[in-house]
Amino acid sequence: MDCITARLTVYFEDPFWVGVLERQTGGRLTACKVTFGACPSDAEVYRWLLKSWHTLHFSPPVKGGPAGATVRNPKRMQRIARQETTRGIGTKAQQALQMQREAAKAARQVRTRTEKEAEIARRFAQKQQKRREKHRGH
């Protein structure tokens, strides 16, 4: 059976509150970054998560570590939770978000290039049409 884990980290990145969702499935980690704006309460974050989970755009998967579904000592769990709150988002999540930004950048470059070429072709056709109309009657 495949183990799926998800983790949401909310932190303050001046001037907004930001959430990073990390989803790990079958040793592959994907991440998504969301900006909340004003300081969200736990209930607001939970409500938002339930409402918009299916609309989130996760990054391409990167190789992640094991899911770690072992039972641990409660004091150790507190220590790990404290370390994660001070550390912020993990490096694997940062890599996944960087890959997502690069993919969006490449798609945007392709789109703008085709739009620019279409505009140049349209202007050229318009210029040729004007030249034909000038010489039509004479």
Side-chain angles (χ1 to χ4, degrees):
M1 184 168 162
D2 197 20
C3 182
I4 299 172
T5 60
R7 178 172 51 185
L8 172 64
T9 306
V10 179
Y11 61 95
F12 185 71
E13 189 174 282
D14 198 30
F16 301 110
W17 285 87
V18 176
V20 174
L21 286 106
E22 299 176 43
R23 180 176 62 182
Q24 191 167 9
T25 306
R28 309 291 281 169
L29 182 119
T30 58
C32 176
K33 186 175 182 180
V34 179
T35 305
F36 287 115
C39 182
S41 68
D42 290 343
E44 290 171 343
V45 170
Y46 184 67
R47 201 174 316 117
W48 171 85
L49 190 62
L50 290 177
K51 184 180 80 171
S52 61
W53 174 263
H54 62 282
T55 62
L56 296 174
H57 298 287
F58 283 91
S59 67
V62 295
K63 186 165 174 44
T70 60
V71 178
R72 292 192 172 142
N73 186 330
K75 288 185 179 181
R76 181 178 299 272
M77 292 297 289
Q78 283 181 337
R79 192 178 314 126
I80 290 171
R82 187 172 41 247
Q83 288 172 355
E84 287 183 356
T85 57
T86 59
R87 188 173 14 142
I89 62 175
T91 58
K92 292 286 185 185
Q94 288 173 345
Q95 289 174 358
L97 289 173
Q98 183 64 29
M99 285 178 58
Q100 183 181 22
R101 279 192 294 270
E102 289 171 0
K105 181 181 177 181
R108 185 175 58 247
Q109 286 175 342
V110 168
R111 187 180 64 243
T112 57
R113 187 180 311 124
T114 56
E115 288 173 359
K116 194 180 289 186
E117 289 171 355
E119 178 64 19
I120 290 171
R122 185 189 67 79
R123 285 184 180 175
F124 181 74
Q126 189 178 27
K127 192 186 301 182
Q128 293 295 90
Q129 182 65 28
K130 268 186 163 181
R131 288 179 72 192
R132 285 191 206 106
E133 288 175 0
K134 279 186 180 179
H135 295 290
R136 179 174 255 181
H138 300 205

